[in-house]
Amino acid sequence: MLIVIENDWLKVEIASNGAEIRKVKHKKNGLDYMWTGDNAYWGRVSPVLFPIVGRLKKDQYQLNGQTYEMSQHGFLRDVIFDLDKRTPTSVSFVVESAGRFLHVYPYEFKAFIHYMLKEESLIVRWEIVNENTEEMYFSIGAHPAFKVPLLENETFEDYSLHFTPAANKNVMEYELKDSLIHEKGTANAIPTIQLTDSLFINDALVYSNIDFITLVSNKSSHGIEVTLDNFPFVGVWSKYMDKDGTMAPFVCIEPWYGIADTYNTSGKMDEKFGINKLKIGETFEAEYKMKFK
């Protein structure tokens, strides 16, 4: 089922499967901003990553003396959400675990995903409720894919990424090898990065302590601004197409509360790098914003 919300600037389509954004159209400039989900490149558009972000070493983890298996990015992206609340310009989805996932994730939880329009921006807010009698470990992340190029007379290489670091914090840079995280070191100044056909040949670019990223055309005023204040990590990715040595026609900007396993991880969930811990009965909340220009 697709739910539509809209205002004077934007029309947004969101699927109940995974509570996934499927389409964002700007009413004033006529542009469609989201990737189409073509399986020839990558069949998703904007999945929500939970209860892990990225890949686990050997696709498994240990908790309370037991070993569990879980594939990359977890399972919530493939779960049908219920409609919670809806207005013309906003919608809220909810899913309750109700014992369905205990074989891979030994916690009970409730997850809300809220979408709200404000002028040219789409605001996304998450709520995760711990419904257990013990503390709960989890990660959550976004994976929106934006169409690049946006205009027919542009190319992938006509776009660039601009980063704004968080104030008074060191930006750390990471690299992925075999889908696992390796720390590259401190990156005090993140330059503007020009998109090229080889930029993501080794997988995603991953950073910590970034508050704002703009993906913008060098030939027009069009682009996407992603505000991710207080998010500990962000990944930027496109799929490298081996058959012709080019990138797929999209770029993902991914705000994360969590990250893939490090290459030297112990495998224990409570020791996992970047993991979040939620106390009994508490609710985790986080919000990011996408502005479409």
Side-chain angles (χ1 to χ4, degrees), residues 4 29 79 96 99 113 131 133 137 140 159 171 175 194 208 234 288:
V4 175
N29 63 31
V79 174
E96 298 188 53
I113 302 180
E131 298 193 321
T133 57
Y137 294 94
I140 187 168
Y159 284 72
V171 175
E175 60 183 348
Q194 189 71 36
S208 66
V234 63
Y288 71 97

Side-chain angles (χ1 to χ4, degrees), residues 7 9 22 39 73 76 92 102 104 114 119 123 147 154 156 158 192 236 240-241 245 257-258 267 269 284-285:
N7 63 6
W9 288 266
R22 302 296 298 180
N39 282 312
H73 295 323
L76 201 62
S92 297
L102 294 176
V104 293
H114 308 279
E119 297 181 348
I123 300 165
K147 185 167 65 175
E154 297 175 332
F156 189 84
D158 288 329
T192 295
V236 184
Y240 181 69
M241 307 303 294
Y257 266 88
M269 182 64 88
F284 166 89
E285 297 185 45

Side-chain angles (χ1 to χ4, degrees), residues 45-68:
V45 178
S46 183
V48 178
L49 319 179
F50 178 91
I52 58 170
V53 169
R55 188 173 295 282
L56 299 169
K57 191 174 184 179
K58 299 181 181 179
D59 290 327
Q60 63 183 31
Y61 67 94
Q62 292 81 47
L63 187 64
N64 297 330
Q66 295 191 45
T67 297
Y68 298 87

